[in-house]
PDB file of all heavy atoms in Angstrom:
ATOM      1  N   THR A 100     111.954 287.048  53.594  1.00 97.00           N
ATOM      2  CA  THR A 100     111.572 286.647  52.347  1.00 97.00           C
ATOM      3  C   THR A 100     112.202 287.479  51.306  1.00 97.00           C
ATOM      4  O   THR A 100     111.617 288.618  50.967  1.00 97.00           O
ATOM      5  CB  THR A 100     109.971 286.491  52.259  1.00 97.00           C
ATOM      6  OG1 THR A 100     109.594 287.862  52.668  1.00 97.00           O
ATOM      7  CG2 THR A 100     109.580 285.530  53.163  1.00 97.00           C
ATOM      8  N   PRO A 101     113.461 287.156  50.810  1.00 96.00           N
ATOM      9  CA  PRO A 101     114.102 288.140  49.819  1.00 96.00           C
ATOM     10  C   PRO A 101     113.417 288.481  48.616  1.00 96.00           C
ATOM     11  O   PRO A 101     113.757 289.495  47.934  1.00 96.00           O
ATOM     12  CB  PRO A 101     115.437 287.418  49.656  1.00 96.00           C
ATOM     13  CG  PRO A 101     115.546 286.373  50.755  1.00 96.00           C
ATOM     14  CD  PRO A 101     114.162 286.026  50.958  1.00 96.00           C
ATOM     15  N   GLN A 102     112.364 287.846  48.158  1.00 96.00           N
ATOM     16  CA  GLN A 102     111.689 288.147  47.019  1.00 96.00           C
ATOM     17  C   GLN A 102     110.787 289.439  47.226  1.00 96.00           C
ATOM     18  O   GLN A 102     110.492 290.126  46.378  1.00 96.00           O
ATOM     19  CB  GLN A 102     110.838 286.968  46.575  1.00 96.00           C
ATOM     20  CG  GLN A 102     111.535 285.800  46.102  1.00 96.00           C
ATOM     21  CD  GLN A 102     110.716 284.468  45.781  1.00 96.00           C
ATOM     22  OE1 GLN A 102     110.244 283.945  46.895  1.00 96.00           O
ATOM     23  NE2 GLN A 102     110.617 284.090  44.708  1.00 96.00           N
ATOM     24  N   GLY A 103     110.409 289.548  48.542  1.00 92.00           N
ATOM     25  CA  GLY A 103     109.654 290.730  48.858  1.00 92.00           C
ATOM     26  C   GLY A 103     108.282 290.797  48.415  1.00 92.00           C
ATOM     27  O   GLY A 103     107.592 291.815  48.408  1.00 92.00           O
ATOM     28  N   ARG A 104     107.789 289.760  47.784  1.00 93.00           N
ATOM     29  CA  ARG A 104     106.394 289.707  47.185  1.00 93.00           C
ATOM     30  C   ARG A 104     106.012 288.311  47.099  1.00 93.00           C
ATOM     31  O   ARG A 104     106.825 287.401  47.178  1.00 93.00           O
ATOM     32  CB  ARG A 104     106.371 290.362  45.862  1.00 93.00           C
ATOM     33  CG  ARG A 104     107.214 289.746  44.696  1.00 93.00           C
ATOM     34  CD  ARG A 104     107.277 290.530  43.532  1.00 93.00           C
ATOM     35  NE  ARG A 104     108.250 289.906  42.584  1.00 93.00           N
ATOM     36  CZ  ARG A 104     107.710 289.074  41.615  1.00 93.00           C
ATOM     37  NH1 ARG A 104     106.557 288.701  41.582  1.00 93.00           N
ATOM     38  NH2 ARG A 104     108.653 288.454  40.790  1.00 93.00           N
ATOM     39  N   PHE A 105     104.671 288.032  46.928  1.00 95.00           N
ATOM     40  CA  PHE A 105     104.157 286.664  46.665  1.00 95.00           C
ATOM     41  C   PHE A 105     104.643 286.320  45.262  1.00 95.00           C
ATOM     42  O   PHE A 105     104.375 287.021  44.279  1.00 95.00           O
ATOM     43  CB  PHE A 105     102.664 286.744  46.778  1.00 95.00           C
ATOM     44  CG  PHE A 105     102.139 286.861  48.231  1.00 95.00           C
ATOM     45  CD1 PHE A 105     101.078 287.704  48.458  1.00 95.00           C
ATOM     46  CD2 PHE A 105     102.704 286.125  49.345  1.00 95.00           C
ATOM     47  CE1 PHE A 105     100.603 288.020  49.818  1.00 95.00           C
ATOM     48  CE2 PHE A 105     102.179 286.346  50.586  1.00 95.00           C
ATOM     49  CZ  PHE A 105     101.124 287.273  50.793  1.00 95.00           C
ATOM     50  N   VAL A 106     105.206 285.137  45.136  1.00 96.00           N
ATOM     51  CA  VAL A 106     105.694 284.565  43.967  1.00 96.00           C
ATOM     52  C   VAL A 106     105.398 283.106  43.949  1.00 96.00           C
ATOM     53  O   VAL A 106     105.526 282.329  44.778  1.00 96.00           O
ATOM     54  CB  VAL A 106     107.382 284.828  43.822  1.00 96.00           C
ATOM     55  CG1 VAL A 106     107.837 284.204  42.455  1.00 96.00           C
ATOM     56  CG2 VAL A 106     107.642 286.259  43.999  1.00 96.00           C
ATOM     57  N   ASP A 107     104.937 282.731  42.649  1.00 96.00           N
ATOM     58  CA  ASP A 107     104.626 281.366  42.396  1.00 96.00           C
ATOM     59  C   ASP A 107     105.809 280.530  42.738  1.00 96.00           C
ATOM     60  O   ASP A 107     106.997 280.886  42.298  1.00 96.00           O
ATOM     61  CB  ASP A 107     104.055 281.048  40.970  1.00 96.00           C
ATOM     62  CG  ASP A 107     103.602 279.810  40.754  1.00 96.00           C
ATOM     63  OD1 ASP A 107     104.499 278.925  40.448  1.00 96.00           O
ATOM     64  OD2 ASP A 107     102.433 279.526  40.867  1.00 96.00           O
ATOM     65  N   PRO A 108     105.759 279.297  43.260  1.00 95.00           N
ATOM     66  CA  PRO A 108     106.964 278.411  43.699  1.00 95.00           C
ATOM     67  C   PRO A 108     107.684 278.058  42.419  1.00 95.00           C
ATOM     68  O   PRO A 108     108.965 277.645  42.473  1.00 95.00           O
ATOM     69  CB  PRO A 108     106.360 277.311  44.424  1.00 95.00           C
ATOM     70  CG  PRO A 108     104.976 277.210  44.189  1.00 95.00           C
ATOM     71  CD  PRO A 108     104.519 278.649  43.862  1.00 95.00           C
ATOM     72  N   ARG A 109     107.070 277.987  41.249  1.00 95.00           N
ATOM     73  CA  ARG A 109     107.837 277.554  40.013  1.00 95.00           C
ATOM     74  C   ARG A 109     108.449 278.798  39.197  1.00 95.00           C
ATOM     75  O   ARG A 109     108.973 278.500  38.077  1.00 95.00           O
ATOM     76  CB  ARG A 109     106.823 276.815  39.220  1.00 95.00           C
ATOM     77  CG  ARG A 109     106.133 275.555  39.707  1.00 95.00           C
ATOM     78  CD  ARG A 109     107.077 274.442  40.187  1.00 95.00           C
ATOM     79  NE  ARG A 109     106.398 273.230  40.579  1.00 95.00           N
ATOM     80  CZ  ARG A 109     106.202 272.900  41.774  1.00 95.00           C
ATOM     81  NH1 ARG A 109     106.630 273.718  42.761  1.00 95.00           N
ATOM     82  NH2 ARG A 109     105.624 271.885  42.016  1.00 95.00           N
ATOM     83  N   GLU A 110     108.144 279.925  39.615  1.00 96.00           N
ATOM     84  CA  GLU A 110     108.718 281.088  38.781  1.00 96.00           C
ATOM     85  C   GLU A 110     110.241 281.103  39.013  1.00 96.00           C
ATOM     86  O   GLU A 110     110.842 281.083  39.960  1.00 96.00           O
ATOM     87  CB  GLU A 110     108.071 282.357  39.382  1.00 96.00           C
ATOM     88  CG  GLU A 110     108.522 283.562  38.522  1.00 96.00           C
ATOM     89  CD  GLU A 110     107.876 284.876  39.004  1.00 96.00           C
ATOM     90  OE1 GLU A 110     106.465 284.851  39.178  1.00 96.00           O
ATOM     91  OE2 GLU A 110     108.483 286.018  39.137  1.00 96.00           O
ATOM     92  N   ARG A 111     110.875 281.200  37.752  1.00 96.00           N
ATOM     93  CA  ARG A 111     112.295 281.458  37.754  1.00 96.00           C
ATOM     94  C   ARG A 111     112.671 282.559  36.734  1.00 96.00           C
ATOM     95  O   ARG A 111     112.045 282.691  35.718  1.00 96.00           O
ATOM     96  CB  ARG A 111     113.032 280.095  37.249  1.00 96.00           C
ATOM     97  CG  ARG A 111     112.747 278.833  38.110  1.00 96.00           C
ATOM     98  CD  ARG A 111     113.378 279.026  39.622  1.00 96.00           C
ATOM     99  NE  ARG A 111     113.144 277.768  40.204  1.00 96.00           N
ATOM    100  CZ  ARG A 111     112.129 277.502  41.042  1.00 96.00           C
ATOM    101  NH1 ARG A 111     111.189 278.512  41.208  1.00 96.00           N
ATOM    102  NH2 ARG A 111     111.976 276.422  41.706  1.00 96.00           N
ATOM    103  N   PRO A 112     113.571 283.392  37.068  1.00 97.00           N
ATOM    104  CA  PRO A 112     114.497 283.549  38.232  1.00 97.00           C
ATOM    105  C   PRO A 112     113.568 283.853  39.530  1.00 97.00           C
ATOM    106  O   PRO A 112     112.490 284.457  39.331  1.00 97.00           O
ATOM    107  CB  PRO A 112     115.403 284.424  37.908  1.00 97.00           C
ATOM    108  CG  PRO A 112     114.899 285.421  36.898  1.00 97.00           C
ATOM    109  CD  PRO A 112     114.037 284.433  36.029  1.00 97.00           C
ATOM    110  N   LEU A 113     114.062 283.765  40.563  1.00 97.00           N
ATOM    111  CA  LEU A 113     113.284 284.058  41.922  1.00 97.00           C
ATOM    112  C   LEU A 113     113.233 285.602  42.112  1.00 97.00           C
ATOM    113  O   LEU A 113     112.191 286.130  42.624  1.00 97.00           O
ATOM    114  CB  LEU A 113     114.094 283.505  43.026  1.00 97.00           C
ATOM    115  CG  LEU A 113     114.217 282.092  43.121  1.00 97.00           C
ATOM    116  CD1 LEU A 113     114.813 281.648  44.373  1.00 97.00           C
ATOM    117  CD2 LEU A 113     112.848 281.203  43.059  1.00 97.00           C
ATOM    118  N   GLY A 114     114.106 286.323  41.482  1.00 94.00           N
ATOM    119  CA  GLY A 114     114.011 287.816  41.638  1.00 94.00           C
ATOM    120  C   GLY A 114     114.174 288.330  43.049  1.00 94.00           C
ATOM    121  O   GLY A 114     113.270 289.081  43.488  1.00 94.00           O
ATOM    122  N   LEU A 115     115.263 287.920  43.596  1.00 96.00           N
ATOM    123  CA  LEU A 115     115.562 288.493  45.011  1.00 96.00           C
ATOM    124  C   LEU A 115     115.962 289.962  45.109  1.00 96.00           C
ATOM    125  O   LEU A 115     116.589 290.454  44.189  1.00 96.00           O
ATOM    126  CB  LEU A 115     116.690 287.573  45.552  1.00 96.00           C
ATOM    127  CG  LEU A 115     116.524 286.141  45.588  1.00 96.00           C
ATOM    128  CD1 LEU A 115     117.652 285.503  46.439  1.00 96.00           C
ATOM    129  CD2 LEU A 115     115.260 285.635  46.161  1.00 96.00           C
ATOM    130  N   ARG A 116     115.344 290.579  46.066  1.00 94.00           N
ATOM    131  CA  ARG A 116     115.760 291.939  46.228  1.00 94.00           C
ATOM    132  C   ARG A 116     117.109 291.990  47.008  1.00 94.00           C
ATOM    133  O   ARG A 116     117.600 290.937  47.606  1.00 94.00           O
ATOM    134  CB  ARG A 116     114.790 292.653  47.324  1.00 94.00           C
ATOM    135  CG  ARG A 116     113.291 292.755  46.440  1.00 94.00           C
ATOM    136  CD  ARG A 116     112.448 293.639  47.232  1.00 94.00           C
ATOM    137  NE  ARG A 116     111.142 293.819  46.449  1.00 94.00           N
ATOM    138  CZ  ARG A 116     110.088 294.439  46.950  1.00 94.00           C
ATOM    139  NH1 ARG A 116     110.124 294.964  48.171  1.00 94.00           N
ATOM    140  NH2 ARG A 116     108.968 294.610  46.296  1.00 94.00           N
ATOM    141  N   PRO A 117     117.900 293.122  46.954  1.00 94.00           N
ATOM    142  CA  PRO A 117     119.286 293.106  47.276  1.00 94.00           C
ATOM    143  C   PRO A 117     119.528 293.206  48.900  1.00 94.00           C
ATOM    144  O   PRO A 117     120.656 293.182  49.225  1.00 94.00           O
ATOM    145  CB  PRO A 117     119.891 294.355  46.612  1.00 94.00           C
ATOM    146  CG  PRO A 117     118.670 295.213  46.482  1.00 94.00           C
ATOM    147  CD  PRO A 117     117.430 294.390  46.260  1.00 94.00           C
ATOM    148  N   GLY A 118     118.407 293.454  49.579  1.00 95.00           N
ATOM    149  CA  GLY A 118     118.739 293.794  51.019  1.00 95.00           C
ATOM    150  C   GLY A 118     119.425 292.760  51.787  1.00 95.00           C
ATOM    151  O   GLY A 118     120.453 293.050  52.528  1.00 95.00           O
ATOM    152  N   VAL A 119     119.049 291.465  51.608  1.00 96.00           N
ATOM    153  CA  VAL A 119     119.836 290.422  52.355  1.00 96.00           C
ATOM    154  C   VAL A 119     121.325 290.318  51.836  1.00 96.00           C
ATOM    155  O   VAL A 119     122.100 289.871  52.712  1.00 96.00           O
ATOM    156  CB  VAL A 119     118.898 289.052  52.153  1.00 96.00           C
ATOM    157  CG1 VAL A 119     119.727 287.880  52.967  1.00 96.00           C
ATOM    158  CG2 VAL A 119     117.633 289.263  52.720  1.00 96.00           C
ATOM    159  N   ALA A 120     121.466 290.475  50.562  1.00 97.00           N
ATOM    160  CA  ALA A 120     122.835 290.303  50.178  1.00 97.00           C
ATOM    161  C   ALA A 120     123.767 291.362  50.712  1.00 97.00           C
ATOM    162  O   ALA A 120     124.933 291.141  51.105  1.00 97.00           O
ATOM    163  CB  ALA A 120     122.865 290.417  48.565  1.00 97.00           C
ATOM    164  N   HIS A 121     123.219 292.579  50.853  1.00 96.00           N
ATOM    165  CA  HIS A 121     123.954 293.728  51.489  1.00 96.00           C
ATOM    166  C   HIS A 121     124.276 293.415  52.945  1.00 96.00           C
ATOM    167  O   HIS A 121     125.324 293.603  53.517  1.00 96.00           O
ATOM    168  CB  HIS A 121     123.177 294.983  51.272  1.00 96.00           C
ATOM    169  CG  HIS A 121     123.348 295.578  49.983  1.00 96.00           C
ATOM    170  ND1 HIS A 121     124.411 296.528  49.785  1.00 96.00           N
ATOM    171  CD2 HIS A 121     122.620 295.652  48.957  1.00 96.00           C
ATOM    172  CE1 HIS A 121     124.249 296.985  48.506  1.00 96.00           C
ATOM    173  NE2 HIS A 121     123.267 296.417  47.977  1.00 96.00           N
ATOM    174  N   LEU A 122     123.150 292.794  53.621  1.00 97.00           N
ATOM    175  CA  LEU A 122     123.273 292.281  54.966  1.00 97.00           C
ATOM    176  C   LEU A 122     124.421 291.348  55.204  1.00 97.00           C
ATOM    177  O   LEU A 122     125.348 291.374  56.054  1.00 97.00           O
ATOM    178  CB  LEU A 122     121.926 291.792  55.497  1.00 97.00           C
ATOM    179  CG  LEU A 122     122.015 291.403  57.057  1.00 97.00           C
ATOM    180  CD1 LEU A 122     122.332 292.594  57.917  1.00 97.00           C
ATOM    181  CD2 LEU A 122     120.572 290.983  57.306  1.00 97.00           C
ATOM    182  N   LEU A 123     124.445 290.386  54.230  1.00 96.00           N
ATOM    183  CA  LEU A 123     125.481 289.321  54.327  1.00 96.00           C
ATOM    184  C   LEU A 123     126.950 289.746  54.263  1.00 96.00           C
ATOM    185  O   LEU A 123     127.888 289.370  54.802  1.00 96.00           O
ATOM    186  CB  LEU A 123     125.226 288.172  53.401  1.00 96.00           C
ATOM    187  CG  LEU A 123     124.037 287.178  53.793  1.00 96.00           C
ATOM    188  CD1 LEU A 123     123.568 286.370  52.548  1.00 96.00           C
ATOM    189  CD2 LEU A 123     124.386 286.432  54.918  1.00 96.00           C
ATOM    190  N   ALA A 124     126.998 290.774  53.288  1.00 96.00           N
ATOM    191  CA  ALA A 124     128.370 291.472  52.864  1.00 96.00           C
ATOM    192  C   ALA A 124     128.827 292.131  54.141  1.00 96.00           C
ATOM    193  O   ALA A 124     130.061 292.313  54.362  1.00 96.00           O
ATOM    194  CB  ALA A 124     128.216 292.261  51.701  1.00 96.00           C
ATOM    195  N   ARG A 125     127.827 292.627  54.965  1.00 95.00           N
ATOM    196  CA  ARG A 125     128.348 293.424  56.156  1.00 95.00           C
ATOM    197  C   ARG A 125     128.489 292.601  57.418  1.00 95.00           C
ATOM    198  O   ARG A 125     128.968 293.092  58.354  1.00 95.00           O
ATOM    199  CB  ARG A 125     127.222 294.511  56.382  1.00 95.00           C
ATOM    200  CG  ARG A 125     127.117 295.643  55.476  1.00 95.00           C
ATOM    201  CD  ARG A 125     125.969 296.417  55.770  1.00 95.00           C
ATOM    202  NE  ARG A 125     125.764 297.580  54.823  1.00 95.00           N
ATOM    203  CZ  ARG A 125     125.271 298.797  55.004  1.00 95.00           C
ATOM    204  NH1 ARG A 125     124.840 299.021  56.296  1.00 95.00           N
ATOM    205  NH2 ARG A 125     125.169 299.676  54.088  1.00 95.00           N
ATOM    206  N   MET A 126     128.029 291.276  57.384  1.00 95.00           N
ATOM    207  CA  MET A 126     127.925 290.543  58.605  1.00 95.00           C
ATOM    208  C   MET A 126     128.686 289.224  58.433  1.00 95.00           C
ATOM    209  O   MET A 126     128.001 288.219  58.229  1.00 95.00           O
ATOM    210  CB  MET A 126     126.640 290.406  59.162  1.00 95.00           C
ATOM    211  CG  MET A 126     125.809 291.535  59.599  1.00 95.00           C
ATOM    212  SD  MET A 126     124.574 291.241  60.688  1.00 95.00           S
ATOM    213  CE  MET A 126     125.505 290.619  62.186  1.00 95.00           C
TER     214      MET A 126
END
């Protein structure tokens, strides 16, 4: 869950944390 916290489903922007992006760049 890249948001890393509970977030209302209508909230924008989603505010993703960077961990998954770093993982994709490495894999």
